[in-house]
Amino acid sequence: MKSYLWNMFTSIKNGQMAKKSTVIGPRKNICESSLKVLWNEGFITGYRISRENNNKLEILLKYTKNGIPAINSIKFLSKPGQRTYYSSKQIWKLDSSKVFIIFSTSSGLKSINECKKNRLGGEPLVIIS
C-alpha cells in the first residue's frame, strides 16, 4: 500500500533535482492526502488529475525565484521492515522549526504541527527539509 507513496516521494525528489516543472504520480487516496499536506505547507505549487490518464496525478513542483527547489531532501523514516511510532508526548519533543515531518495518524495524514495542535501520535512517514 505505501509503496505508491514511496514511489511518489522518490519521483518528487528526482524531479526537483532534475529541475522539472511537473512529475507524474499514482492517483491513490494516500498519495492525494500527502500531496494535500505538502500543498498546505507550501512545498508544492499544486496537483491535478492527468488529462491522458485518470489514474495518474500531475504534481506541480515549486522553486524559489533563484531556481532553488522548495524540497531539498526527503528521507523515509518508517519502512515496512521497521515501523516506528511516536506518541503525542514524543512528538512534542521533536523540533518542528528545522524539519517537516508527515505522520500517519488515526485521523489521516497530518503534518507535525497539526499533530502537536490536535495532540495526536502516529507513524512518521517522511522528513522533508
Side-chain angles (χ1 to χ4, degrees):
M1 173 177 125
K2 291 186 182 171
S3 65
Y4 297 115
L5 191 64
W6 307 138
N7 290 339
M8 185 191 68
F9 278 120
T10 303
S11 67
I12 289 173
K13 181 171 68 170
N14 292 339
Q16 291 272 341
M17 291 190 324
K19 305 280 188 201
K20 291 188 175 185
S21 61
T22 62
V23 293
I24 303 293
R27 185 179 177 197
K28 301 290 181 184
N29 287 336
I30 191 165
C31 294
E32 287 190 53
S33 59
S34 65
L35 287 174
K36 189 182 291 185
V37 171
L38 288 177
W39 183 70
N40 287 337
E41 296 295 326
F43 286 107
I44 60 172
T45 306
Y47 64 95
R48 62 179 174 232
I49 300 169
S50 177
R51 294 179 185 145
E52 293 87 27
N53 189 352
N54 283 342
N55 295 328
K56 299 287 182 182
L57 291 171
E58 291 181 16
I59 304 161
L60 308 170
L61 301 178
K62 185 175 182 179
Y63 297 94
T64 62
K65 293 180 182 177
N66 301 333
I68 299 170
I71 299 173
N72 294 328
S73 70
I74 296 176
K75 294 182 182 178
F76 304 111
L77 283 176
S78 188
K79 297 175 182 164
Q82 183 179 7
R83 306 259 182 194
T84 56
Y85 297 96
Y86 287 100
S87 67
S88 60
K89 291 180 183 178
Q90 291 172 323
I91 289 176
W92 274 102
K93 294 178 184 177
L94 300 174
D95 186 15
S96 61
S97 64
K98 297 179 183 175
V99 294
F100 178 75
I101 304 172
I102 296 178
F103 283 90
S104 175
T105 66
S106 59
S107 58
L109 295 183
K110 304 283 183 192
S111 68
I112 186 170
N113 297 328
E114 290 174 348
C115 287
K116 285 181 177 182
K117 185 170 64 173
N118 297 330
R119 295 184 180 146
L120 291 171
E123 178 184 3
L125 298 178
V126 292
I127 292 181
I128 300 172
S129 58

